[in-house]
Amino acid sequence: MIFPTLFIVLVSYAITPDIKPDDDQDLREYYMARRGPIFLGLTAFVTMAQIADVVILGAGFSPIGTGLIVILLIPAFTINIWGHSAVMLINAYVLFSNALTTSIIIGS
């Protein structure tokens, strides 16, 4: 249970810029420079959450969860903003679908 939390904390650290309010830093450039740690961390988070579902709930890896793991690797290795946007839309869809339904979508 602690491993998914560890990876999401590391992602939060990787995505947070160390800037002051009056700094003039290009945040898109910062994001693109940090995309590897951010999305590799998100991939590790989803993978560890899937493993936790297997260990705790006895559920197997679902096709949706496995697909999300693969899809989250794409932005780690590309600078195409449309690819990043598409992956984040898919991520948001899975997140909201999971939050708004009574069944576990990723772990079922």
Side-chain angles (χ1 to χ4, degrees), residues 44-107:
F45 166 73
V46 173
T47 303
M48 291 295 132
Q50 287 280 291
I51 292 171
D53 285 349
V54 169
V55 172
I56 295 168
L57 300 176
F61 273 69
S62 70
I64 293 173
T66 305
L68 187 59
I69 290 168
V70 172
I71 288 170
L72 283 172
L73 288 172
I74 294 169
F77 301 104
T78 183
I79 59 170
N80 183 315
I81 197 67
W82 291 107
H84 284 251
S85 299
V87 168
M88 294 313 292
L89 283 172
I90 292 168
N91 190 24
Y93 173 76
V94 171
L95 175 70
F96 288 123
S97 295
N98 209 9
L100 298 175
T101 59
T102 56
S103 64
I104 300 173
I105 291 180
I106 292 179

Side-chain angles (χ1 to χ4, degrees), residues 19-69:
I19 59 174
K20 299 186 180 18
D22 53 340
D23 283 349
D24 190 25
Q25 183 175 3
D26 183 7
L27 294 180
R28 179 178 281 196
E29 182 181 307
Y30 175 82
Y31 168 78
M32 288 299 176
R34 303 294 296 164
R35 73 185 186 280
I38 292 167
F39 286 97
L40 291 175
L42 282 174
T43 302
F45 166 73
V46 173
T47 303
M48 291 295 132
Q50 287 280 291
I51 292 171
D53 285 349
V54 169
V55 172
I56 295 168
L57 300 176
F61 273 69
S62 70
I64 293 173
T66 305
L68 187 59
I69 290 168

